[in-house]
Amino acid sequence: MSATWLPGCHDPGRTVVRDDLGIPTRDFAMDPSQDLMVLFKGGGGDVGLPVMVVFPGTLELHIRTISTNQTHPEARVPVLCTPVMYPITSGFVQIVDDVVGMMYCVDPARPRITIWNWKTGNRVVDRSSDSLPPGTWDFNFIHSRALFVTTGNGGGSLELFTFTCDRADTDANGNANSDSDSDTPTPTQLQPHHTTPTSTLTHAATLHLPPIRKSVRVLSISSHTGPFLAGCPPDKPFVASNEERIHVLTIQYVHLPTLDGPRTRPRVCVFVHNRALEGYVDRGVASATMGAGEATTGMVVPWREWGRVHTRMLPHVGRFQWLRYVHGQRVVMLLPTSEADKSTLQVLDFNVRSALDDNEDEDDVGADADADHTDEGTGREKNEKNKDDADPSLRKTTLKRVTYPIRIAMPHIFVDVVETGLPYREARRDVRGDYSGVMIDDERLVGLKYPAFLTQDMKEIDVFTM
């Protein structure tokens, strides 16, 4: 594994290469602010099985440091485990503060969600497909004690849940750490560690997506957001707040053949702010607390009551081969272009107020219309740009501010016209290069020229400043 800290305004950059992680790795997740790396052990090993498939037995997550590849000093148990009865064909790991969650699918395509406290080693939540909402497709954390799953049942929905989890400074009984919680794992602790789940998922709310016609089915609803950080990395003056983030839902519908027309599979992107989800979690929990007895389900919110204000729906025209296309409240998309050696980058920034202030600049007031910004430069820098970029379109960024609602009419898919109004800014620019995907962080864009599932080394990436 090669971990590279890319050069920035105050950091020259560095690279750490691990020639041998010690285990066949199917996937991994990181939190640089905690020097934390979680390795999802795959197949392979000494028997020559495919590393991309985890075979029946035990699922293992190894808790390491990025800097040393050794067991993390705050992890009481170095290997988190859960038994699996069928081969795992896909799985993704997420870290939020002191919990690590994983959604994985076992044949025949049955999703399961397991959450651990990586510091204590306790398995907090373990839900099989029988205990998840029908049609569950994907999941994401809202914060370290709440999550949502996407479901394709009916017209599709977001199902919001909460769970409880003791922090590392208390055990499951609320007692302080004992002497057994030493920083140095004992031989027993070094073995795979199985625990009984200590919590369950409590349903807080159902947020319905737009109603669809009877001849339409939801084929998939994937969800993606930027990485969570437990704190500010030592080399950063500040980072984006975990609460101020955008979730991107990519929804694919299938319109079955009818007398109205042929079969189609349109896709849309729905952008929803994390604070909206947090608000519905809080309202759902408060509603359950005030109600009589124990509620088995949370509040149900139709699309017309939440979608118009809290989301923005756009036709899906980008290409997503790689993840990490979301950071904080910004999303980068790779738009199709007719020229093989050129790509169009689009950045959507949802850190925008819905109404104009008196303090905003005059140029900003009229920004609902397109505005162009062209790189100028001086002296040698300008000459080099003109020489390298003979095409003037490669030096122009188009800016747009969208604070008005947009109506999407897809009568063969939706029952009604879908109107959404979450405000955003858009920056669009043509660049030289044919990319398979683009990633984003707080100060740069990263263009990748290699396919996501390649069988060779990645030789180079292109880095753009924002």
Side-chain angles (χ1 to χ4, degrees):
M1 189 186 78
S2 174
T4 300
W5 286 256
L6 295 173
C9 299
H10 308 287
D11 187 355
R14 64 191 187 279
T15 298
V16 174
V17 178
R18 305 292 176 197
D19 293 328
D20 184 4
L21 289 174
I23 60 171
T25 303
R26 167 64 176 81
D27 192 24
F28 72 97
M30 296 190 303
D31 182 349
S33 71
Q34 302 186 83
D35 191 24
L36 174 63
M37 175 173 63
V38 177
L39 304 178
F40 172 25
K41 182 179 179 181
D46 298 330
V47 295
L49 298 174
V51 72
M52 301 302 284
V53 177
V54 177
F55 287 84
T58 301
L59 181 151
E60 297 182 11
L61 298 183
H62 293 246
I63 312 301
R64 307 279 182 88
T65 63
I66 302 173
S67 57
T68 67
N69 193 36
Q70 301 299 313
T71 297
H72 199 286
E74 295 187 54
R76 301 181 194 173
V77 179
V79 183
L80 307 177
C81 296
T82 189
V84 291
M85 304 299 294
Y86 300 93
I88 297 175
T89 55
S90 66
F92 297 94
V93 183
Q94 300 180 50
I95 302 170
V96 185
D97 195 6
D98 58 351
V99 299
V100 53
M102 186 173 180
M103 180 173 180
Y104 48 100
C105 293
V106 297
D107 290 336
R110 291 178 292 181
R112 190 181 191 99
I113 294 177
T114 306
I115 301 172
W116 296 263
N117 183 318
W118 67 266
K119 294 186 177 182
T120 65
N122 291 331
R123 188 157 46 118
V124 180
V125 172
D126 193 11
R127 280 285 190 105
S128 67
S129 56
D130 297 333
S131 304
L132 292 171
T136 292
W137 181 266
D138 203 355
F139 102 106
N140 242 318
F141 283 103
I142 301 172
H143 54 69
S144 63
R145 299 299 183 267
L147 59 86
F148 70 90
V149 300
T150 64
T151 76
N153 198 36
S157 66
L158 305 184
E159 305 293 336
L160 281 53
F161 295 91
T162 62
F163 59 94
T164 59
C165 176
D166 291 315
R167 304 199 72 85
D169 54 359
T170 59
D171 60 21
N173 298 318
N175 299 320
N177 291 341
S178 63
D179 294 338
S180 63
D181 302 325
S182 170
D183 287 342
T184 303
T186 65
T188 301
Q189 289 176 309
L190 288 173
Q191 302 302 315
H193 183 68
H194 296 271
T195 61
T196 301
T198 60
S199 178
T200 185
L201 292 178
T202 301
H203 189 243
T206 295
L207 306 182
H208 282 293
L209 294 172
I212 57 178
R213 296 197 175 277
K214 292 182 179 180
S215 59
V216 177
R217 299 291 182 269
V218 177
L219 201 59
S220 64
I221 308 180
S222 62
S223 172
H224 187 49
T225 190
F228 287 81
L229 293 178
C232 189
D235 56 344
K236 295 285 187 181
F238 55 84
V239 292
S241 169
N242 283 332
E243 292 75 21
E244 300 299 321
R245 64 175 53 244
I246 282 289
H247 296 271
V248 181
L249 309 176
T250 303
I251 310 174
Q252 182 163 30
Y253 299 96
V254 55
H255 178 243
L256 303 178
T258 64
L259 296 178
D260 299 333
R263 179 184 181 125
T264 59
R265 294 192 176 192
R267 290 196 294 177
V268 298
C269 280
V270 177
F271 306 88
V272 55
H273 205 287
N274 194 72
R275 60 172 170 257
L277 302 181
E278 285 187 332
Y280 282 109
V281 166
D282 294 341
R283 288 170 57 186
V285 171
S287 177
T289 302
M290 295 173 59
E294 293 188 4
T296 57
T297 59
M299 60 188 299
V300 178
V301 187
W303 169 259
R304 65 179 180 274
E305 295 183 11
W306 79 281
R308 183 185 184 279
V309 176
H310 294 298
T311 74
R312 174 69 71 171
M313 177 183 286
L314 298 174
H316 185 286
V317 295
R319 292 176 289 167
F320 296 134
Q321 277 198 32
W322 296 88
L323 297 180
R324 296 295 179 248
Y325 53 85
V326 187
H327 183 82
Q329 300 178 75
R330 291 177 175 175
V331 182
V332 61
M333 291 182 162
L334 187 63
L335 302 182
T337 177
S338 59
E339 300 182 47
D341 62 340
K342 185 186 293 186
S343 296
T344 299
L345 305 183
Q346 180 191 47
V347 176
L348 307 180
D349 187 350
F350 290 88
N351 186 18
V352 177
R353 293 179 293 276
S354 58
L356 298 178
D357 280 337
D358 294 335
N359 297 328
E360 295 194 71
D361 296 335
E362 183 178 352
D363 292 342
D364 200 32
V365 173
D368 284 345
D370 291 355
D372 293 338
H373 170 76
T374 303
D375 297 339
E376 293 297 338
T378 59
R380 180 179 178 182
E381 178 186 2
K382 184 174 181 179
N383 292 333
E384 289 297 324
K385 285 182 180 178
N386 291 337
K387 180 179 67 175
D388 294 339
D389 296 336
D391 186 348
S393 68
L394 298 177
R395 298 188 293 113
K396 184 174 69 174
T397 300
T398 300
L399 306 175
K400 182 167 66 173
R401 187 175 188 269
V402 182
T403 59
Y404 47 84
I406 291 179
R407 296 164 62 88
I408 294 182
M410 299 174 65
H412 60 296
I413 299 295
F414 300 118
V415 174
D416 301 307
V417 174
V418 178
E419 182 175 301
T420 56
L422 188 67
Y424 67 94
R425 292 181 187 272
E426 174 191 308
R428 186 178 299 195
R429 185 185 182 108
D430 291 339
V431 296
R432 185 71 66 192
D434 183 21
Y435 298 110
S436 61
V438 184
M439 299 181 180
I440 187 172
D441 69 0
D442 53 345
E443 56 181 298
R444 62 179 70 81
L445 303 176
V446 176
L448 301 107
K449 299 179 180 179
Y450 294 81
F453 299 100
L454 76 169
T455 57
Q456 58 185 346
D457 291 339
M458 183 180 295
K459 300 298 183 183
E460 63 180 9
I461 61 175
D462 289 343
V463 181
F464 302 89
T465 58
M466 287 193 294

